[in-house]
Amino acid sequence: MLLAFGVPYAALWAHMPWLADTFAFAALCVWGWRVGGSVFGAFFLFTAFPHVTLEASLASLTHLGALMGGALFVFSFGKRAQSSLFERIVFFGLGSFISAFLLSINASLEEISLTWTGTLSLPLFLPHLAQFLLSFFVVLLLQRGFVSSTRHFEPNLSFEHLFQNLPIPVAYKDTKGVYQGCNRAFTVLIGSAKTEVIKHLQSLPPKHTQHTHLPYDNNVLKEVHLTCEKVTNDTGVLLGSVCLLVDITEFETLKKRLQYWKERYELALDGANDGLWDWDVVNDTVFFSRRWKEIMGYKPHENPNHVDHWLGLIGDADSKHVTSELRAHLKGSSPVFEVEHQCVHLDNAVRWVKVQGKALFDSTHKPVRMVGYVSDITQTKKAQHALKESQELFLRFMNALPALAFIRNTEGAFTYMNASYEKFIGGKEWREKKADAIFPQSVATLLQNQDRLTLYEGIGQHEQRFPDVLGKEHIFQSFNFPFQDAKGARMLGGIALDITKERLLEERTKLFANIFETTSEGIMVTDSAGKIVTINHAFTLLTGFTAADVLGKNPRIRKSGHHDKAFYEALWKTLLETGAWKGELYNLHNDGEVVPERLSISTIKNERGEVAYFVGIFTNISEQKAQEKRLEALAHYDTLTGIPSRFLFLDRLDQCIANTLRTQKKAALLFIDLDDFKPINDTYGHEAGDEVLKTIATRLSAQIRRSDTVARLAGDEFVVLLTNLTSGADLRMLCSKILATIQEPILFKTETLRVGASIGICVCPDHGDTVEALLRHADEAMYQVKKQGKRAMGIYKPSTKTH
């Protein structure tokens, strides 16, 4: 800088001082302090050195000081005012006047040796003033050329500070497009590649935007956005151009990544199972994704954009609920919007969908946007419905199961009971309760021990006795097993079968087996062909025949010849027709003696209803026959029913016959045998049978007159003797009443029992005039009724008598 301005100025000042002063003053005004300081140094160097005297040096300094005084005024005030051309002329003139004034004082001190209080010499002042006015024209010329262009880019200190610290990289060019400078941000950004970048900037015309790649520091190629704009002054004169350089490498990278994620998002939306919807609540428009359209039945090219396109598809049953939930969410009453509803697909198919969404609110808590998803849950609903039906079916099955089903947790608390179990415990509250809260302590302890054993060993099988709600003891066969629930927790399940009847039957079977072997009655079992298959020990004691003697043989080996052919034919006929026969007959003992026996024969059928076995139960009644006469004298009334016994009845029948023959009136004998009585005895025991017999006796007694007699002959056989019979119609009416009253239900404990009756009728003296004849004929008539189907009455007909 010293050589650029100091050498020319020194040469000019030595030969043409006025031109050098003009040049220096103009330079000081245009470039300011820094250039002016350099000129001052050069002037001092090239003028003071040849004239090393103190006076010459001081003269040079004061001379230049005069120049700088005027220039400083022009520079400071002109720039501060952001001066226009007119302002520059005014300030430049004032600066010239100041410089001329100061130079004239300096000259006066040198040439005319004025004192410090001397006067100003006008002849010295005017040439200097003219000199500086000449420099005005020089400044104007410089402003229109290179000096004026560079002066535009030399801001004051505050603007320069702002320009240099601007974070945006900025470079500026002159009117010819030549690079002139840049701020620090530009230099830092470009770094070592500044030269190459400047060349590119110089090729960029004004008012042009360019997207290109430029090398940065260390030759790193980056993507940039260049903008070149013209710069003019207030009068429209071109001052140059400014170039803005924006590094968009990161922006473009983000843009590409955004595009990448946008594509992935669109792919995700297209491939997702859920449909997206985005509702602009303010403008009331909705964006529906392709999947949403597919779920709702729209075509891909269709463009539904209103919320009614969704609401209109909701089924009538769900519409009110959905709109209510939607309004509540838009009011801020619910954190999220979530509903399930049926919708009528555009192809008229009904589907189930799940809609989820969340609204966004502005500062006034008004909804502005709502975004959510819709899912097609038709298959899920079908699966849920099928599961529900399956569960309901399973529950119905479990509740109909004739067993106690239960589930307990590892703590022993019940979590499930079926209907049978609830009924067994009498409807007690059982949920989450342990066994000791439902059963007696002894039973609860037993269950707890079984649970521990089952959890340790696995499936367990137990037989146990539990009292029901009424205290009646039941026998159960239980099967317990461990398992895990859906959450992985260990549970204990089980099914308990009530085997009380089976155990009772088993015990009864054992009892019958013991009875079979220990009873005093002889028992013989034959197959359907009549061959003996088994006998009991009493058979041998009563008959003298061992098993080896009779097995595989026909019972006729004991035939005594006491009964004729008709007797046996009637026996078999009754047995095959009714399934049972009982009576008295005489058979041979193994020692050849004929002994009287009371025999009862029954048939046992297989599952096809065919006779498989015949069972004969008999007893030797020799002693009974011997004592019968003595007993008849004592046994006037039946000890069970309280009605006349056989002995008393026979006596009354004999008297009735005599009276009938004497008075020529008629009497009737009714022989009554109960139907279905034996199954009651077998099923419910003799106690139930006795109750039936007593009830029937009471009912029969209530149907007859005081002059008539009802008696129990044996077992379930009753007889009724009617004296002074007036008409057959009265007889039939009475028999009908008897049949009806016998068939009425009989309550035994908690069981309802029913029996019927077969009534055989004979009339004295029409059908016989002896006790034996009348009893036999009535009995035959009764068997005829049984043969014809039971539960009826029949009058003895001589034609039915077998000879």
Side-chain angles (χ1 to χ4, degrees), residues 398-690:
M398 293 301 293
N399 287 330
L401 192 68
L404 311 185
F406 63 89
I407 298 175
R408 290 192 290 266
N409 58 26
T410 54
E411 300 297 326
F414 284 90
T415 60
Y416 171 77
M417 276 188 186
N418 68 344
S420 297
Y421 212 132
E422 289 182 340
K423 182 179 179 181
F424 180 76
I425 64 174
K428 293 180 181 179
E429 178 57 38
W430 53 267
R431 292 171 179 81
E432 303 301 327
K433 290 189 176 181
K434 296 183 179 181
D436 54 8
I438 301 174
F439 297 103
Q441 187 60 46
S442 58
V443 175
T445 302
L446 176 63
L447 291 177
Q448 291 170 359
N449 293 335
Q450 291 177 356
D451 287 354
R452 283 193 291 268
L453 188 62
T454 301
L455 290 172
Y456 179 74
E457 296 183 350
I459 298 176
Q461 180 177 348
H462 312 281
E463 183 174 312
Q464 50 211 4
R465 296 174 181 265
F466 293 157
D468 60 15
V469 67
L470 299 177
K472 182 179 179 181
E473 190 175 70
H474 293 254
I475 305 172
F476 288 96
Q477 183 74 36
S478 65
F479 299 88
N480 299 347
F481 49 89
F483 68 98
Q484 290 183 338
D485 63 9
K487 297 180 180 180
R490 296 193 71 190
M491 307 294 287
L492 182 70
I495 296 177
L497 303 175
D498 190 343
I499 59 172
T500 306
K501 292 182 179 180
E502 287 76 4
R503 284 292 178 263
L504 291 177
L505 180 60
E506 182 180 332
E507 292 175 1
R508 187 174 298 169
T509 302
K510 292 180 180 179
L511 176 62
F512 288 162
N514 291 331
I515 293 174
F516 183 83
E517 290 299 329
T518 61
T519 185
S520 59
E521 287 81 7
I523 300 175
M524 174 184 63
V525 180
T526 70
D527 60 16
S528 59
K531 293 181 180 180
I532 299 174
V533 296
T534 185
I535 59 174
N536 68 345
H537 182 64
F539 181 93
T540 301
L541 294 177
L542 293 175
T543 65
F545 290 94
T546 64
D549 296 332
V550 299
L551 291 182
K553 298 179 181 179
N554 193 283
R556 68 173 61 98
I557 62 174
R558 295 190 62 224
K559 188 175 181 180
S560 64
H562 184 79
H563 305 285
D564 56 15
K565 183 179 179 181
F567 174 83
Y568 290 106
E569 289 179 352
L571 183 153
W572 279 103
K573 184 178 181 181
T574 301
L575 179 61
L576 295 175
E577 291 178 353
T578 65
W581 181 91
K582 59 181 178 180
E584 295 180 1
L585 74 167
Y586 290 86
N587 280 326
L588 284 177
H589 192 273
N590 193 29
D591 60 6
E593 182 183 356
V594 176
V595 293
E597 296 175 348
R598 187 179 299 279
L599 174 65
S600 175
I601 305 175
S602 300
T603 60
I604 298 177
K605 297 182 179 181
N606 57 23
E607 61 275 4
R608 296 184 298 274
E610 301 169 345
V611 176
Y613 301 99
F614 294 99
V615 179
I617 301 176
F618 67 94
T619 182
N620 189 322
I621 57 173
S622 299
E623 294 183 3
Q624 294 177 14
K625 287 291 185 180
Q627 296 178 4
E628 193 172 60
K629 293 181 180 180
R630 296 191 300 272
L631 293 175
E632 286 177 354
L634 299 174
H636 293 292
Y637 291 93
D638 182 56
T639 56
L640 177 64
T641 62
I643 60 177
S645 64
R646 182 183 185 89
F647 178 81
L648 180 57
F649 172 76
L650 293 176
D651 182 68
R652 290 184 179 181
L653 178 58
D654 185 67
Q655 294 177 15
C656 178
I657 292 171
N659 184 60
T660 298
L661 294 175
R662 184 177 63 254
T663 61
Q664 298 296 313
K665 294 183 179 181
K666 294 185 178 182
L669 176 62
L670 310 182
F671 197 104
I672 303 172
D673 185 86
L674 298 182
D675 298 327
D676 302 322
F677 176 76
K678 186 177 184 300
I680 293 176
N681 254 344
D682 294 342
T683 303
Y684 302 103
H686 294 291
E687 183 180 1
D690 292 344

Side-chain angles (χ1 to χ4, degrees), residues 34-77:
R34 286 181 295 176
V35 177
S38 300
V39 174
F40 165 73
F43 173 77
F44 181 80
L45 179 64
F46 287 99
T47 58
F49 185 75
H51 309 280
V52 293
T53 61
L54 179 61
E55 293 82 358
S57 298
L58 293 175
S60 298
L61 288 174
T62 56
H63 188 83
L64 184 60
L67 294 177
M68 293 181 62
L72 178 60
F73 180 84
V74 174
F75 176 76
S76 300
F77 289 92

